[in-house]
């Protein structure tokens, strides 16, 4: 193959994962319905479903909307928050599950999707659903106690055509910060809770990129 693998980083606006793949020489692009935080010209502002048929070799879907899919939020489907109806909650569940399903079944040979643990209502709505392949913590990929990776946030990966990640850090979790879980309510809370981690992103680029390159060389 006379070109590097084409990598689509779906549902990402920060550019953290895209930059990790670019640093290793991959033809990487991010895609989100909102503009890129870093202003990169390697960002596609669109619904990922409109571009996933464009000949990608690997897709990492990093932050698909998951509020209604998670175990931690299943209670809101039956005991709705103030000002919201059950119909709205279930409609949001259907919308989130449809996006996950479309990404999981995308016509791309190697797919990774990041998401929290799901409840059974979400699982039943996803075509060809499989349990997540692994769960990791950002601190497992950190090198510095004061660095951005030394935090607690269970991160689950659904993987198709890709290996589980091997931790690359030297921390043991005892000093990991709970700042993600303790993020204050407000307009920025969702962005804080969905931000990604450079050490974990670097491991993804190195290990999953190598898996794609291995098949290219075969």
């Amino acid at each position: 193959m006379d070109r590097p693998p084409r990598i689509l980083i779906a549902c990402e606006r920060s550019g953290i994962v895209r930059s990790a793949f670019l640093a290793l020489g991959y033809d990487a692009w991010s895609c989100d319905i909102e503009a890129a935080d870093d202003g990169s010209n390697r960002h596609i502002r669109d619904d990922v479903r409109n571009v996933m048929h464009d000949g990608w070799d690997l897709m990492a879907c990093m932050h698909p909307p998951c509020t209604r899919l998670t175990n931690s939020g299943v209670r809101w489907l039956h005991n709705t928050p103030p000002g919201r109806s059950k119909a709205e909650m279930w409609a949001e569940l259907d919308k989130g599950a449809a996006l996950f399903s479309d990404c999981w079944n995308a016509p791309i040979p190697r797919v990774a999707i990041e998401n929290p643990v799901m409840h059974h209502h979400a699982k039943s709505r996803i075509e060809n659903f499989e349990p997540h392949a692994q769960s990791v913590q950002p601190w497992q990929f950190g090198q510095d106690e004061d660095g951005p990776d030394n935090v607690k946030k269970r991160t689950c990966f659904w993987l198709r055509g890709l290996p589980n990640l091997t931790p690359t850090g030297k921390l043991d979790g005892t000093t990991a910060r709970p700042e993600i879980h303790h993020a204050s309510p407000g307009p920025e809370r969702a962005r804080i809770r969905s931000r990604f981690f450079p050490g974990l992103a670097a491991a993804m680029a190195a290990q999953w990129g190598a898996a794609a390159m291995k098949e290219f060389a075969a």
Side-chain angles (χ1 to χ4, degrees):
M1 187 69 66
D2 58 358
R3 63 170 177 82
R6 299 188 69 227
I7 313 294
L8 177 62
I9 311 302
C11 303
E12 180 185 62
R13 56 188 290 184
S14 70
I16 291 173
V17 180
R18 181 217 322 124
S19 295
F21 276 92
L22 283 172
L24 296 183
Y26 297 106
D27 182 11
W29 297 76
S30 56
C31 178
D32 194 81
I33 59 174
E34 297 193 34
D37 292 344
D38 61 359
S40 174
N41 62 359
R42 280 185 165 267
H43 181 77
I44 304 165
R45 190 171 184 180
D46 201 351
D47 186 318
V48 67
R49 287 169 287 197
N50 294 330
V51 301
M52 62 173 52
H53 298 267
D54 294 344
W56 304 98
D57 301 299
L58 187 158
M59 178 176 70
C61 187
M62 300 320 304
H63 313 295
C66 62
T67 303
R68 300 294 163 242
L69 307 184
T70 64
N71 251 346
S72 61
V74 68
R75 67 187 187 279
W76 299 120
L77 296 174
H78 305 287
N79 301 297
T80 59
R84 304 298 304 277
S85 69
K86 284 187 178 181
E88 289 173 325
M89 296 293 100
W90 286 87
E92 289 181 4
L93 166 61
D94 288 337
K95 184 177 180 180
L99 176 58
F100 189 103
S101 186
D102 288 341
C103 289
W104 181 240
N105 293 284
I108 300 172
R110 289 164 284 278
V111 172
I113 306 179
E114 178 269 336
N115 222 66
V117 176
M118 291 185 192
H119 54 68
H120 69 279
H121 300 295
K123 296 175 183 178
S124 68
R125 285 165 166 75
I126 295 169
E127 182 181 358
N128 299 318
F129 179 82
E130 296 180 7
H132 61 270
Q134 74 172 140
S135 65
V136 300
Q137 291 281 348
W139 57 261
Q140 293 178 285
F141 301 84
Q143 307 295 325
D144 180 0
E145 287 189 3
D146 297 321
D149 293 288
N150 193 25
V151 299
K152 298 176 182 179
K153 184 187 179 186
R154 186 184 181 191
T155 302
C156 298
F157 287 116
W158 280 256
L159 302 175
R160 175 163 56 80
L162 291 170
N164 286 3
L165 290 176
T166 299
T168 56
K170 60 181 183 181
L171 304 175
D172 62 8
T174 57
T175 62
R177 304 182 299 273
E179 60 194 39
I180 302 296
H181 300 291
H182 294 172
S184 300
E188 291 299 307
R189 187 171 191 267
R191 182 182 295 206
I192 292 171
R193 288 178 60 84
S194 66
R195 71 177 175 83
F196 214 63
F197 308 94
L200 180 51
M204 291 164 49
Q207 297 176 37
W208 291 343
M213 284 297 295
K214 183 177 180 179
E215 292 198 24
F216 264 46

